[in-house]
């Protein structure tokens, strides 16, 4: 009866979407969901029905109609004060089988309560609390895992293998935070909360649209109504992360001091004899226990990254759906006072590395589409006439803001030049880009790929820009000893410059031939650079192929312009004995990486990007 149950759940959703449930019906729906199993596909449909029943968003083409419908829901609730109190208790006070589901329902309930307090006199007296308590409920909902449930459960069908790989750093943070939360709250060691939610594959297109519409309304209302909470949580997280980093540096220093002391004691043991061994062993054991205790400090929360991830997954591969974030709800008219546009500009001020990475991934999804990609290009270019991005004077200075093309392409060029400087010394260890900055560079390359894929104007402007020289810059880094994941992102961004997608091809007929010719010329020049860099070895001699250097190891000469500046990321020195070993010598380009690296782990991100 699996199909019949799903059909009945969708029928209930259709009823809730068009009509108000009475008090007993709504409470019965909440009561069923509180004890439901997230692996049951019916749960997905009924949680959607409950979110719709509690929705008070005015998002939509018909703003007045949406506003009237939201006011009708509030009026329906306040007619029976006992029902409102009972529904509040059912949602807030009783236990739920899944914390993430509980958190998402709490968040929707908080949005409804805040709307009711502001639009219906006396609502706060009926429900029993004011705005400060509503914000507390919303924050608790986020800590329960509301963002995670929305992303990994409600939108699980959107998380393809490719998207999961591209956003692997984001999902890792999401899971690591969930494990920390579970360890702090759960006493049952057999709990399955550490696992990812089930991703349903039998979600129809109509159901997908309904889920995305409800979550779009929810995230929009949350940003519009609770922006102060979002800001406060971000600043608190930035402070906590900074303090945790300082504590980690202190712990490392103490550990190094402990090891030095242990070595000195061992030397004393050898000089003084065996009689001191027991005392020394006791002291070193105590020191080791102290170090392990310090290492077990809880990890700071990263809910701002999770919020960015929600938007990233929701708007990924949905052309021009997120235009409101760029201040252009209809693609032309500029509305910079729109709360979503203010939120986007506010996010560009993030300074914590994980938040920056999540922010770039969010921008890459919002840049999807012909109109949105132009907005993203202008935002990153710092055209202050339309966007509150970096000013032209800032972009031209040494202090180029991070959210700008010069700073980001400058970071790629910085790493390429630093890594190539070590190649002439065969005795030096291979340089290594820190893993956290690899993920950050990948998020920027994902944004670059999305912008140039959909906008021929942005593509040609970037390609012909002598200051950035993006293609040469990316080819030079491609030839260095960097992780395969970064190589795949580099190849994906390079290939986007020569891609003629359907969206770009939708130009007017008079322009289509010129567009095709431009893209063809870019693709031809990219292929020439591909051969010049020996990313793809072109020799037909097998022995010469074996002696060839690896993918892109032949540096491409940079044009004689002013060197790249604005290396906001990557200020630290590149060091360490990385897994890449010495600079590539005697290897056969991308063929070597396919045979020796990707085949060994049976994952082929670089080869797939290349093909």
């Amino acid at each position: 009866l699996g199909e019949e149950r799903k059909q009945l759940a969708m029928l209930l959703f259709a009823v809730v979407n068009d009509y108000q449930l009475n008090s007993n019906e709504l409470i019965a729906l909440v009561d069923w969901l509180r004890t439901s199993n997230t692996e049951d596909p019916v749960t997905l449909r009924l949680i959607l029905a409950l979110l719709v029943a509690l929705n008070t968003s005015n998002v939509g083409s018909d703003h007045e109609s949406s506003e009237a419908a939201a006011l009708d829901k509030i009026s329906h609730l306040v007619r029976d004060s006992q029902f409102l109190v009972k529904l509040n208790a059912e949602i807030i006070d009783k236990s739920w089988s899944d914390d993430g589901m509980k958190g998402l329902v709490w968040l929707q309930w908080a949005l409804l309560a805040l709307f009711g307090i502001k639009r219906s006199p006396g609502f706060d007296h009926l429900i029993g609390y004011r705005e400060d308590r509503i914000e507390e409920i919303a924050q608790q909902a986020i800590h329960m895992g509301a963002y995670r449930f929305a992303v990994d459960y409600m939108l699980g069908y959107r998380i393809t293998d490719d998207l999961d790989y591209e956003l692997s750093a984001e999902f890792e943070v999401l899971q690591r935070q969930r494990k920390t939360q579970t360890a702090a709250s759960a006493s049952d060691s057999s709990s399955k909360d550490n696992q990812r939610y089930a991703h349903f594959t039998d979600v129809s297109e109509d159901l997908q649209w309904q889920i995305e519409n409800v979550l779009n309304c929810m995230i929009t209302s949350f940003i519009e109504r609770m922006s102060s909470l979002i800001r406060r949580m971000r600043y608190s997280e930035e402070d906590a992360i900074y303090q945790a980093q300082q504590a980690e540096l202190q712990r490392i220093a103490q550990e190094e001091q402990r090891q030095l002391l242990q070595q000195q004691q061992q030397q004393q043991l050898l000089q003084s004899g065996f009689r001191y061994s027991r005392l020394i062993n006791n002291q070193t054991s105590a020191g080791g226990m102290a170090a392990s205790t310090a290492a077990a400090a809880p990890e700071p929360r990263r809910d701002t990254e999770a919020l960015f991830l929600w938007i990233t997954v929701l708007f990924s591969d949905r052309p021009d759906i997120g235009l409101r974030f760029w201040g252009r709800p209809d693609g032309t008219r500029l509305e910079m006072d729109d709360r979503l546009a203010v939120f986007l500009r506010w996010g560009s001020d993030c300074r914590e590395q994980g938040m920056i990475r999540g922010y770039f991934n969010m921008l890459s999804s919002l840049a999807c589409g012909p109109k949105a990609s132009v907005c993203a290009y202008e935002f990153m270019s710092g055209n202050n006439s339309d966007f509150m991005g970096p000013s032209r004077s800032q972009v031209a200075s040494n202090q180029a803001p991070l959210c700008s093309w010069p700073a980001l392409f400058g970071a790629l060029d910085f790493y390429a030049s630093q890594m190539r400087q070590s190649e002439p010394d065969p005795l030096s260890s291979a340089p290594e880009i820190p893993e956290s900055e690899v993920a950050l560079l990948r998020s920027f390359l994902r944004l670059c790929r999305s912008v140039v894929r959909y906008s021929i104007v942005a593509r040609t402007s970037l390609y012909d820009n002598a200051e950035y020289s993006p293609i040469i810059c990316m080819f030079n880094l491609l030839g260095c000893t960097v992780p395969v994941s970064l190589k795949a992102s580099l190849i994906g961004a390079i290939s986007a410059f020569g891609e003629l997608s359907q969206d770009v091809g939708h130009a007017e007929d008079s322009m289509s031939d010129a567009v095709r010719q431009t893209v063809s010329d870019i693709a031809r020049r990219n292929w020439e650079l591909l051969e010049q860099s020996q990313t793809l070895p072109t020799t037909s001699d097998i022995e010469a192929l074996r002696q060839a250097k690896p993918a892109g190891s032949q540096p491409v000469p940079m044009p004689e312009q002013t060197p790249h500046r604005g290396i906001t990321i990557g200020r630290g020195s590149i060091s360490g004995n990385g897994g890449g070993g010495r600079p590539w010598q005697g290897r056969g380009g991308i063929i070597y990486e396919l045979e020796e690296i990707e085949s060994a782990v049976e994952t082929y991100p670089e080869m797939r990007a290349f093909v």
Side-chain angles (χ1 to χ4, degrees), residues 155-433:
L155 296 172
Y157 63 90
R158 293 186 58 82
I159 304 176
T160 62
D161 290 341
D162 287 341
L163 188 62
D164 202 353
Y165 181 80
E166 287 186 347
L167 303 177
S168 56
E170 309 304 316
F171 287 114
E172 182 180 347
V173 168
L174 208 63
Q175 288 304 108
R176 190 165 65 242
Q177 183 165 291
R178 180 59 177 172
K179 289 179 181 180
T180 302
Q181 176 185 338
T182 304
S185 61
S187 58
D188 183 6
S189 59
S190 63
S191 174
K192 295 184 179 181
D193 286 341
N194 290 347
Q195 301 176 7
R196 302 247 330 237
Y197 285 109
H199 293 174
F200 300 109
T201 58
D202 59 341
V203 181
S204 65
E205 291 186 4
D206 178 65
L207 180 56
Q208 290 180 25
W209 186 90
Q210 296 291 352
I211 294 173
E212 290 159 9
N213 182 59
V214 168
L215 292 182
N216 182 27
C217 292
M218 190 173 180
I219 193 67
T220 300
S221 298
F222 180 54
I223 294 173
E224 290 177 337
R225 299 175 189 176
M226 296 191 177
S227 57
S228 60
L229 174 63
I230 296 174
R231 292 172 183 269
R232 203 163 55 246
M233 292 184 68
R234 172 197 144 183
Y235 298 143
S236 176
E237 288 171 22
E238 287 179 333
D239 291 341
I241 292 170
Y242 174 77
Q243 293 172 4
Q245 291 171 343
Q246 295 302 308
E248 177 65 13
L249 292 175
Q250 184 178 5
R251 185 194 68 80
I252 293 174
Q254 292 175 348
E255 176 65 17
E256 292 176 347
Q257 185 177 6
R258 186 187 68 81
Q259 292 178 356
L260 179 61
L261 178 61
Q262 183 178 355
Q263 292 174 0
Q264 294 174 349
Q265 290 175 335
Q266 289 175 347
Q267 292 176 357
Q268 293 176 3
L269 173 63
L270 295 175
Q271 295 173 358
S272 303
F274 181 75
R275 58 196 177 92
Y276 297 109
S277 60
R278 180 173 299 176
L279 175 61
I280 293 174
N281 287 336
N282 290 339
Q283 290 176 344
T284 55
S285 298
M289 291 176 62
S292 62
T293 302
E299 189 171 318
R301 296 197 63 84
R302 294 179 176 271
D303 293 310
T304 302
E305 292 179 48
L307 175 61
F308 291 159
L309 181 61
W310 180 350
I311 299 172
T312 300
V313 176
L314 178 61
F315 290 93
S316 177
D317 293 326
R318 299 176 66 199
D320 291 334
I321 297 297
L323 282 173
R324 273 195 64 190
F325 283 90
W326 301 110
R328 296 186 182 275
D330 59 359
T332 56
R333 180 167 41 92
L334 185 64
E335 294 183 4
M336 292 312 299
D337 58 344
D338 191 307
R339 286 296 182 90
L340 298 189
V342 173
F343 169 80
L344 191 74
R345 299 196 304 273
W346 167 79
S348 67
D349 192 42
C350 290
R351 289 295 175 263
E352 197 279 319
Q353 203 168 58
M355 292 184 189
I356 298 170
R357 182 190 64 237
Y359 181 74
F360 280 140
N361 279 320
M362 180 182 70
L363 289 185
S364 67
S365 290
L366 294 175
C368 177
K371 296 177 182 177
S373 58
V374 173
C375 294
Y377 171 74
E378 295 291 337
F379 180 82
M380 296 292 290
S381 299
N383 291 344
N384 248 3
S385 59
D386 288 344
F387 298 94
M388 294 295 290
S391 65
R392 292 182 183 274
S393 59
Q394 286 179 317
V395 171
S397 69
N398 287 332
Q399 299 299 323
L402 182 59
C403 291
S404 64
W405 299 119
L408 294 169
F409 282 119
L412 296 178
D413 183 50
F414 167 78
Y415 279 121
S417 60
Q418 289 290 311
M419 300 185 81
R420 287 188 181 279
Q421 286 177 5
S422 65
E423 290 186 6
D425 185 3
L427 299 179
S428 65
S429 60
E432 184 181 53
I433 304 178

